[in-house]
PDB file of all heavy atoms in Angstrom:
ATOM      1  N   PRO A 435      34.086   4.341 -28.468  1.00  0.00           N
ATOM      2  CA  PRO A 435      34.961   3.878 -27.375  1.00  0.00           C
ATOM      3  C   PRO A 435      34.230   3.706 -26.051  1.00  0.00           C
ATOM      4  O   PRO A 435      34.529   2.778 -25.296  1.00  0.00           O
ATOM      5  CB  PRO A 435      36.029   4.977 -27.281  1.00  0.00           C
ATOM      6  CG  PRO A 435      35.462   6.153 -27.995  1.00  0.00           C
ATOM      7  CD  PRO A 435      34.569   5.610 -29.041  1.00  0.00           C
ATOM      8  N   VAL A 436      33.264   4.575 -25.754  1.00  0.00           N
ATOM      9  CA  VAL A 436      32.521   4.452 -24.500  1.00  0.00           C
ATOM     10  C   VAL A 436      31.717   3.155 -24.478  1.00  0.00           C
ATOM     11  O   VAL A 436      31.720   2.410 -23.492  1.00  0.00           O
ATOM     12  CB  VAL A 436      31.593   5.670 -24.289  1.00  0.00           C
ATOM     13  CG1 VAL A 436      30.618   5.411 -23.145  1.00  0.00           C
ATOM     14  CG2 VAL A 436      32.413   6.914 -23.989  1.00  0.00           C
ATOM     15  N   VAL A 437      31.019   2.874 -25.567  1.00  0.00           N
ATOM     16  CA  VAL A 437      30.218   1.645 -25.648  1.00  0.00           C
ATOM     17  C   VAL A 437      31.123   0.415 -25.611  1.00  0.00           C
ATOM     18  O   VAL A 437      30.785  -0.597 -24.982  1.00  0.00           O
ATOM     19  CB  VAL A 437      29.347   1.646 -26.918  1.00  0.00           C
ATOM     20  CG1 VAL A 437      28.700   0.283 -27.129  1.00  0.00           C
ATOM     21  CG2 VAL A 437      28.270   2.724 -26.817  1.00  0.00           C
ATOM     22  N   VAL A 438      32.278   0.489 -26.257  1.00  0.00           N
ATOM     23  CA  VAL A 438      33.209  -0.644 -26.252  1.00  0.00           C
ATOM     24  C   VAL A 438      33.669  -0.956 -24.830  1.00  0.00           C
ATOM     25  O   VAL A 438      33.716  -2.121 -24.416  1.00  0.00           O
ATOM     26  CB  VAL A 438      34.414  -0.356 -27.175  1.00  0.00           C
ATOM     27  CG1 VAL A 438      35.535  -1.369 -26.917  1.00  0.00           C
ATOM     28  CG2 VAL A 438      33.988  -0.415 -28.629  1.00  0.00           C
ATOM     29  N   VAL A 439      34.017   0.082 -24.069  1.00  0.00           N
ATOM     30  CA  VAL A 439      34.435  -0.134 -22.677  1.00  0.00           C
ATOM     31  C   VAL A 439      33.298  -0.753 -21.864  1.00  0.00           C
ATOM     32  O   VAL A 439      33.485  -1.725 -21.129  1.00  0.00           O
ATOM     33  CB  VAL A 439      34.893   1.191 -22.033  1.00  0.00           C
ATOM     34  CG1 VAL A 439      35.142   0.996 -20.536  1.00  0.00           C
ATOM     35  CG2 VAL A 439      36.158   1.701 -22.704  1.00  0.00           C
ATOM     36  N   GLY A 440      32.089  -0.176 -22.008  1.00  0.00           N
ATOM     37  CA  GLY A 440      30.938  -0.708 -21.279  1.00  0.00           C
ATOM     38  C   GLY A 440      30.653  -2.153 -21.632  1.00  0.00           C
ATOM     39  O   GLY A 440      30.419  -2.990 -20.753  1.00  0.00           O
ATOM     40  N   LEU A 441      30.689  -2.479 -22.938  1.00  0.00           N
ATOM     41  CA  LEU A 441      30.447  -3.860 -23.370  1.00  0.00           C
ATOM     42  C   LEU A 441      31.554  -4.795 -22.900  1.00  0.00           C
ATOM     43  O   LEU A 441      31.306  -5.974 -22.603  1.00  0.00           O
ATOM     44  CB  LEU A 441      30.337  -3.916 -24.894  1.00  0.00           C
ATOM     45  CG  LEU A 441      29.037  -3.378 -25.503  1.00  0.00           C
ATOM     46  CD1 LEU A 441      29.109  -3.429 -27.027  1.00  0.00           C
ATOM     47  CD2 LEU A 441      27.830  -4.178 -25.015  1.00  0.00           C
ATOM     48  N   GLY A 442      32.773  -4.269 -22.811  1.00  0.00           N
ATOM     49  CA  GLY A 442      33.886  -5.082 -22.317  1.00  0.00           C
ATOM     50  C   GLY A 442      33.631  -5.564 -20.896  1.00  0.00           C
ATOM     51  O   GLY A 442      33.802  -6.750 -20.584  1.00  0.00           O
ATOM     52  N   PHE A 443      33.208  -4.637 -20.025  1.00  0.00           N
ATOM     53  CA  PHE A 443      32.876  -5.025 -18.648  1.00  0.00           C
ATOM     54  C   PHE A 443      31.698  -5.995 -18.633  1.00  0.00           C
ATOM     55  O   PHE A 443      31.684  -6.976 -17.879  1.00  0.00           O
ATOM     56  CB  PHE A 443      32.546  -3.789 -17.815  1.00  0.00           C
ATOM     57  CG  PHE A 443      33.743  -3.075 -17.273  1.00  0.00           C
ATOM     58  CD1 PHE A 443      34.201  -1.906 -17.858  1.00  0.00           C
ATOM     59  CD2 PHE A 443      34.426  -3.571 -16.173  1.00  0.00           C
ATOM     60  CE1 PHE A 443      35.312  -1.240 -17.366  1.00  0.00           C
ATOM     61  CE2 PHE A 443      35.543  -2.918 -15.666  1.00  0.00           C
ATOM     62  CZ  PHE A 443      35.986  -1.752 -16.263  1.00  0.00           C
ATOM     63  N   LEU A 444      30.689  -5.721 -19.462  1.00  0.00           N
ATOM     64  CA  LEU A 444      29.498  -6.574 -19.503  1.00  0.00           C
ATOM     65  C   LEU A 444      29.853  -7.995 -19.950  1.00  0.00           C
ATOM     66  O   LEU A 444      29.359  -8.978 -19.381  1.00  0.00           O
ATOM     67  CB  LEU A 444      28.464  -5.974 -20.456  1.00  0.00           C
ATOM     68  CG  LEU A 444      27.077  -6.622 -20.459  1.00  0.00           C
ATOM     69  CD1 LEU A 444      26.415  -6.471 -19.101  1.00  0.00           C
ATOM     70  CD2 LEU A 444      26.197  -5.996 -21.532  1.00  0.00           C
ATOM     71  N   LEU A 445      30.708  -8.128 -20.943  1.00  0.00           N
ATOM     72  CA  LEU A 445      31.108  -9.449 -21.426  1.00  0.00           C
ATOM     73  C   LEU A 445      31.905 -10.207 -20.367  1.00  0.00           C
ATOM     74  O   LEU A 445      31.723 -11.416 -20.190  1.00  0.00           O
ATOM     75  CB  LEU A 445      31.931  -9.307 -22.714  1.00  0.00           C
ATOM     76  CG  LEU A 445      31.150  -8.880 -23.966  1.00  0.00           C
ATOM     77  CD1 LEU A 445      32.098  -8.625 -25.126  1.00  0.00           C
ATOM     78  CD2 LEU A 445      30.137  -9.956 -24.353  1.00  0.00           C
ATOM     79  N   MET A 446      32.793  -9.500 -19.667  1.00  0.00           N
ATOM     80  CA  MET A 446      33.553 -10.164 -18.601  1.00  0.00           C
ATOM     81  C   MET A 446      32.635 -10.657 -17.491  1.00  0.00           C
ATOM     82  O   MET A 446      32.867 -11.704 -16.884  1.00  0.00           O
ATOM     83  CB  MET A 446      34.606  -9.205 -18.034  1.00  0.00           C
ATOM     84  CG  MET A 446      35.787  -8.977 -18.957  1.00  0.00           C
ATOM     85  SD  MET A 446      37.127  -8.050 -18.178  1.00  0.00           S
ATOM     86  CE  MET A 446      36.435  -6.384 -18.169  1.00  0.00           C
ATOM     87  N   ASP A 447      31.556  -9.914 -17.241  1.00  0.00           N
ATOM     88  CA  ASP A 447      30.584 -10.291 -16.207  1.00  0.00           C
ATOM     89  C   ASP A 447      29.694 -11.428 -16.691  1.00  0.00           C
ATOM     90  O   ASP A 447      29.640 -12.500 -16.080  1.00  0.00           O
ATOM     91  CB  ASP A 447      29.738  -9.061 -15.855  1.00  0.00           C
ATOM     92  CG  ASP A 447      28.692  -9.330 -14.770  1.00  0.00           C
ATOM     93  OD1 ASP A 447      28.341 -10.501 -14.540  1.00  0.00           O
ATOM     94  OD2 ASP A 447      28.207  -8.361 -14.162  1.00  0.00           O
ATOM     95  N   VAL A 448      29.003 -11.231 -17.810  1.00  0.00           N
ATOM     96  CA  VAL A 448      27.964 -12.161 -18.255  1.00  0.00           C
ATOM     97  C   VAL A 448      28.539 -13.389 -18.950  1.00  0.00           C
ATOM     98  O   VAL A 448      28.125 -14.521 -18.683  1.00  0.00           O
ATOM     99  CB  VAL A 448      26.969 -11.438 -19.192  1.00  0.00           C
ATOM    100  CG1 VAL A 448      25.927 -12.410 -19.725  1.00  0.00           C
ATOM    101  CG2 VAL A 448      26.292 -10.284 -18.462  1.00  0.00           C
ATOM    102  N   VAL A 449      29.511 -13.182 -19.859  1.00  0.00           N
ATOM    103  CA  VAL A 449      30.029 -14.296 -20.665  1.00  0.00           C
ATOM    104  C   VAL A 449      31.130 -15.062 -19.923  1.00  0.00           C
ATOM    105  O   VAL A 449      31.080 -16.286 -19.806  1.00  0.00           O
ATOM    106  CB  VAL A 449      30.555 -13.778 -22.020  1.00  0.00           C
ATOM    107  CG1 VAL A 449      31.135 -14.935 -22.834  1.00  0.00           C
ATOM    108  CG2 VAL A 449      29.440 -13.104 -22.793  1.00  0.00           C
ATOM    109  N   LEU A 450      32.119 -14.335 -19.404  1.00  0.00           N
ATOM    110  CA  LEU A 450      33.229 -15.003 -18.716  1.00  0.00           C
ATOM    111  C   LEU A 450      32.893 -15.370 -17.279  1.00  0.00           C
ATOM    112  O   LEU A 450      33.588 -16.174 -16.657  1.00  0.00           O
ATOM    113  CB  LEU A 450      34.475 -14.109 -18.748  1.00  0.00           C
ATOM    114  CG  LEU A 450      35.004 -13.750 -20.145  1.00  0.00           C
ATOM    115  CD1 LEU A 450      36.255 -12.892 -20.032  1.00  0.00           C
ATOM    116  CD2 LEU A 450      35.293 -15.019 -20.950  1.00  0.00           C
ATOM    117  N   GLY A 451      31.820 -14.769 -16.742  1.00  0.00           N
ATOM    118  CA  GLY A 451      31.382 -15.121 -15.389  1.00  0.00           C
ATOM    119  C   GLY A 451      32.269 -14.582 -14.287  1.00  0.00           C
ATOM    120  O   GLY A 451      32.268 -15.106 -13.170  1.00  0.00           O
ATOM    121  N   ILE A 452      33.040 -13.517 -14.570  1.00  0.00           N
ATOM    122  CA  ILE A 452      33.894 -12.922 -13.530  1.00  0.00           C
ATOM    123  C   ILE A 452      33.015 -12.193 -12.523  1.00  0.00           C
ATOM    124  O   ILE A 452      32.092 -11.478 -12.892  1.00  0.00           O
ATOM    125  CB  ILE A 452      34.915 -11.951 -14.157  1.00  0.00           C
ATOM    126  CG1 ILE A 452      35.803 -12.705 -15.163  1.00  0.00           C
ATOM    127  CG2 ILE A 452      35.768 -11.280 -13.087  1.00  0.00           C
ATOM    128  CD1 ILE A 452      36.765 -11.815 -15.922  1.00  0.00           C
ATOM    129  N   ASN A 453      33.283 -12.385 -11.252  1.00  0.00           N
ATOM    130  CA  ASN A 453      32.499 -11.757 -10.182  1.00  0.00           C
ATOM    131  C   ASN A 453      32.471 -10.240 -10.372  1.00  0.00           C
ATOM    132  O   ASN A 453      33.520  -9.613 -10.573  1.00  0.00           O
ATOM    133  CB  ASN A 453      33.103 -12.116  -8.828  1.00  0.00           C
ATOM    134  CG  ASN A 453      32.281 -11.591  -7.669  1.00  0.00           C
ATOM    135  OD1 ASN A 453      32.337 -10.406  -7.348  1.00  0.00           O
ATOM    136  ND2 ASN A 453      31.521 -12.466  -7.043  1.00  0.00           N
TER     137      ASN A 453
END
Side-chain angles (χ1 to χ4, degrees):
V436 168
V437 170
V438 166
V439 172
L441 285 177
F443 277 102
L444 189 63
L445 289 174
M446 287 189 285
D447 181 340
V448 177
V449 178
L450 300 181
I452 300 175
N453 185 283

